[in-house]
Amino acid sequence: MNDDFASATARHYCDSQLLLAEQRFDNAAYLAGYAVECGLKALIMHGGGQPRAYSHELSTLGGKALDLAVLLSPALRHYHINIIGEMLRACDGWKPELRYT
């Protein structure tokens, strides 16, 4: 099975916006976290990396893994990488286990 992280990013983001509009804040935040994760994995995959190796750890995905993706694929430099750091700080504390609380 081929991973389509870019498609998953768009899907999770759109769904999170629908939930947010309905004031379903917990589930909106949960899907928004997955949108960030899948977006980072899409960048890593585009750079030739193995995104599944980073599991669900946003801090790891946004750190060395993202740096590696940009290093391996200079075409990724047109993305606003500094904004990704800001998004990760906004998601600080998000983890998959939140779905069970």
Side-chain angles (χ1 to χ4, degrees):
M1 177 178 155
N2 290 333
D3 293 318
D4 186 354
F5 290 111
S7 214
T9 299
R11 189 174 59 252
H12 292 319
Y13 175 77
C14 288
D15 288 349
S16 74
Q17 294 303 296
L18 291 171
L19 289 166
L20 182 63
E22 293 296 319
Q23 298 185 0
R24 303 278 314 271
F25 303 117
D26 290 341
N27 289 327
Y30 174 73
L31 284 178
Y34 270 117
V36 172
E37 176 186 334
C38 290
L40 290 169
K41 286 182 176 181
L43 290 173
I44 290 166
M45 181 176 272
H46 181 76
Q50 298 297 321
R52 286 195 173 269
Y54 299 96
S55 187
H56 300 292
E57 299 296 326
L58 293 181
S59 59
T60 304
L61 281 164
K64 293 180 182 177
L66 187 56
D67 292 342
L68 175 63
V70 171
L71 180 66
L72 292 173
S73 180
L76 290 177
R77 291 187 185 130
H78 76 274
Y79 292 103
H80 298 286
I81 301 299
N82 57 331
I83 293 172
I84 293 172
E86 292 173 26
M87 290 180 354
L88 288 172
R89 284 189 291 283
C91 295
D92 192 34
W94 178 88
K95 53 188 173 256
E97 292 79 17
L98 291 175
R99 73 184 113 186
Y100 305 114
T101 59

